[in-house]
Amino acid sequence: MTWETVIGLEIHVQLSAESKIFSPASTVFCNAANTQVREVDCGFPGALPVLNRRVVDCAILLGTAISATVNQRSEFARKNYFYPDLPKGYQISQFEYPIVEHGEMWINGSQGEMRIGVTRAHLEEDAGKLIHDHWATSSGVDLNRAGTPLLEIVSEPDLRDINDAVLYASEMHKLVRWLGICDGNMQEGSFRIDANISVRHPGDELGTRCEIKNLNSFRFLEQALHYERERQINLIEDGGTVVQQTRLFNTASGETRAMRSKEDAHDYRYFPDPDLPPLLVDDAWIAEVIATMPELPRARAQRFINDYQLSSYDATLLTADKDFSDYYETLLAQLATDSEQRNQHAKLCANWLCGDFAALLNEHKIEISASKIDIAAFADLMRCLINDTISGKIAKTVLLKMWDSGEHASIIIEREGLMQISDSSALEKIGNDIIAANAQQAQQYRDGKDRLLGFFVGQMMKATKGQANPEQANEIMKRLLAQ
Amino acid sequence: MSAPNIANCSLRELRTLLDENKISAPELAQLFRARAKQYSHLNAFLRINENDDYHPAAGNFLDSLPIAHKDIFCAQGEKTTCGSKMLAEFVAPYDSTVVENFRNAGMNTIGRTNMDEFAMGSSGEHSAFSASRNPWDENYVPGGSSSGSAAAVAARLTPVATATDTGGSIRQPAAFCGVTGIKPTYGRVSRWGMVAFASSFDQGGVIAKSAEDCALALSAMAGFDERDSTSLPQPAEDFTRQFDQPLSNIVIGVPKEFFSDGLDNKVASRVQEAIRQFEKQGATIKEISLASVKHAIAAYYVLTCAEASSNLSRYDGVRYGFRPTENNDSDLTTMYEQTRTQGFGAEVKRRILIGTYMLSYGYYDAYYRRAMKVRTLIARDFEQAFTGCDVLLGPTTPSPAFALNAIADNDPVAMYLQDIYTVPVNLAGLPALSLPCGFSGALPVGLQLIGAPLAESLLLSVAHEYQKQNDYHLQMPAGVQ
């Protein structure tokens, strides 16, 4: 009997804002404990929350990007429970009336272009952190993170395939970074995933779901979903039933274990926060935010395909990251002002960015913005290739040197004498020497062993340390051997 | 001039004494501090400052005039106990806007006034420290929760005191103590730094001898504050600006529901006399009906207890405030339980329990949501009433002050009914004041005036016109003369 997996994801996105959602305290990660705490963040008597407008802008951006409704009236509620990292004894969140509802994400998944519904996205504050390993008999509380703004994005249970679920999460990750509303740093917890998963036979009612909390990498998400899927199927096939539970994923063992079941779930006693009036977002506010909205990755990829005749593969690579994509666009703009010329260079630049340059970025694990090679330097390298100053092979060497120094390509080429040799008389002299030194092979070529041409061209490249213009080398050797 | 005579002066008279150098600012403060110590058995003050506490603000009308603050307003570096063992040793790390505003006006803080714990109570008996006494008869309660502020002004231990009103906590003690107290429109006075009881009801205000003194103090206290999201965008205003206008254009509505069976006869008589005086002064009197107010007490206790249960969750012993020293090594839950069991008094615990229940899964719709509907209906009733009236009038309380320990701790509902005429105003967020309108035996009787949103100036001017015609507000309890 076949099993169908049903998955829905809740993604907690830490919003990029300089100050907290309800206080002027800074949100910078990893400062000394309890140094980024104002009256509200510590839950002092009489302290009151004031909403940071920036977080609303972030929600509007996301809502618009996923074609959702941005509610003109939403409401903050209190989620009440006791825990030492929760200074007020309640978390301010949106419950009955979230700011964003009825959105959609498109992914290129197991069924081709797939629409994944987004039920809602709501604003809320993060809790603080407990520190357990400093003292033998007590724990500490660090409230630096308390009040950090979060946007919780809840998908419909539309996902049927674990790979699609991972793809949806990574597309969302890409989108929030693209919009500039989240730094996407998963290690620091800026993007955390709770996965709801159940199994059923196709056509049956939904099975009982379990929620796996706090997954902070796509690999863990994938592992946790696989483990949980197998666990539920085995349980049912062995005659058991799945109990609705919240589960934790153990990254060391790759297993999930029960944290709490529905029976001991908290009664959060939600009610509208009387300290915060309803959040009213008018058309003017929405329009103001949309005016700052960047071209979205899918639209840009399509434009690359249409205008630059790039392959869908290249277009996707070049829109995986906004900085990377912007780098590409600026690079093209620096190379040519008219669009025809720009389109001519589009493929070359795409190859070099997605190929050698991307490999270097990956190898050193740095963002494009942190690379020493600025766009002008890279454009210089592309120009040297376009006007045949160097060959592609030399360009690879030059790029490596640029990576270390950040110098423009032409400076390195000039200093190290890496210019391509296009002087045909010089190349002809080298060619004649090579033929003289390899008379036997020359005879074999003339007797019809055509593939030996490659050997001779290779010898010429070797003799010129790769600086011979490859096309010219090819042409000259062919001509000399025929004599 | 004798000390009691100076103590009975209005703010304007005190201003003149200072301006004419008849008394210095330190002497004036010392006079009130000495009285506060002399009558310390009234338990009006929790703490009396030893030294002057002010920064002169030359040119400000209130400069150097003494004031006392209810112990619910945070002041940086000072204890703010809110009448609770939970905060008995709590030193606030920041200033409330109210304290800041009066400091900027140059007022000299002479001490902190007693109150029912976390502003929950109508008698002052729920203070964790001591029950304040009514200066008119020390065997009687001064009302609550602003028990100390009302008693201190009545005993002339301070010319003016800050107070807060969630369901009558300014007006009811003002009525019991024969002084004038105003609760402004919700949102007029910033709640920043004012310890929360029920956030959508709590409103700061003042208690003083007269409407004029209230108006002068409130002018420095009110105004928009960006640190309080529920603050109204209205700037500060001069609340005496409508003074000295005849009452002939004023229509006073008298809700018949405020003269129900539970109303004490003598209180009813004093209020009827006040109505006749207003008529004599040219006002038009009109009987009206506020049909929904009969549900006010129920809705009020559902909503305020719900909010309180959440607002008071922060007192968990983790970061500040009371935490028992025993059981310190046990688990987290025990720490929470012991902190809250020992730190809160009975009335506070009762309301937290009620509120927690009201918000619980399966009960929310039946209680909280329904109470919110009642709240809307009551606000609409008032709105309707103000289409035909400028001001509404009625008794502040159903009876004069009751004796200490008269309402048993196991009969909270009897205590809750004390607020029957005051809570509808808080549900609707309206401004209202209580002013003395005579006596029932030795005990004062309070008259309540209710205004439309932001009608503080009108309310205060109507009260001022009334006080021009009598001297109830100038009478001093015999024991403090």
Side-chain angles (χ1 to χ4, degrees), chain B residues 65-347:
Chain B
L65 294 174
I67 190 169
H69 290 306
K70 184 175 181 178
D71 211 22
I72 198 170
F73 293 103
C74 289
Q76 190 173 357
E78 291 176 34
K79 272 190 190 173
T80 303
T81 70
C82 220
S84 179
K85 182 180 174 186
M86 187 64 88
L87 293 176
E89 300 303 324
F90 174 70
V91 174
Y94 73 110
D95 272 338
S96 56
T97 300
V98 164
V99 164
E100 194 177 273
N101 286 351
F102 282 118
R103 185 173 293 153
N104 290 340
M107 292 195 91
N108 195 346
T109 308
I110 57 170
R112 293 307 202 103
T113 58
N114 202 354
M115 57 183 286
D116 283 302
E117 183 177 8
F118 285 104
M120 298 176 190
S122 307
S123 70
E125 295 167 295
H126 296 305
S127 165
F129 304 109
S130 58
S132 302
R133 290 165 181 272
N134 192 319
W136 293 94
D137 185 332
E138 293 168 15
N139 296 314
Y140 282 72
V141 301
S145 68
S146 306
S147 49
S149 292
V153 173
R156 307 318 193 229
L157 314 183
T158 179
V160 55
T162 55
T164 61
D165 190 314
T166 303
S169 284
I170 289 177
R171 293 158 288 157
Q172 187 251 16
F176 279 13
C177 291
V179 292
T180 308
I182 181 163
K183 177 206 99 75
T185 311
Y186 179 79
R188 271 231 108 149
V189 169
S190 170
R191 293 188 296 115
W192 174 256
M194 188 177 106
V195 183
F197 157 18
S199 311
S200 73
F201 293 79
D202 298 343
Q203 181 56 209
V206 282
I207 293 176
K209 291 184 286 293
S210 66
E212 184 179 30
D213 286 359
C214 283
L216 291 165
L218 189 63
S219 300
M221 187 186 203
F224 173 69
D225 181 6
E226 62 181 10
R227 293 173 296 189
D228 174 0
S229 305
T230 60
S231 175
L232 293 172
Q234 266 66 29
E237 68 178 82
D238 172 5
F239 290 105
T240 62
R241 68 187 166 85
Q242 283 177 267
F243 274 24
D244 301 316
Q245 287 172 18
L247 294 179
S248 47
N249 294 324
I250 301 293
V251 179
I252 297 176
V254 180
K256 61 175 189 218
E257 289 78 6
F258 284 12
F259 296 82
S260 47
D261 292 344
L263 181 62
D264 175 276
N265 284 335
K266 283 187 176 141
V267 171
S269 304
R270 295 297 91 78
V271 173
Q272 294 300 345
E273 287 161 22
I275 292 172
R276 282 195 291 279
Q277 192 194 309
F278 276 117
E279 248 173 338
K280 221 189 294 171
Q281 288 180 254
T284 307
I285 306 295
K286 188 173 151 184
E287 189 186 79
I288 62 147
S289 171
L290 298 169
S292 305
V293 298
K294 58 178 176 289
H295 304 299
I297 286 277
Y300 170 81
Y301 277 94
V302 170
L303 296 174
T304 56
C305 290
E307 292 186 19
S309 72
S310 174
N311 280 334
L312 272 62
S313 294
R314 65 188 61 197
Y315 307 110
D316 58 4
V318 173
R319 297 167 310 287
Y320 55 78
F322 176 76
R323 176 170 171 173
T325 44
E326 68 274 23
N327 298 312
N328 222 5
D329 290 338
S330 61
D331 62 299
L332 181 65
T333 310
T334 310
M335 194 275 278
Y336 282 155
E337 281 172 3
Q338 289 304 315
T339 296
R340 292 168 69 78
T341 301
Q342 296 178 38
F344 288 136
E347 182 60 26

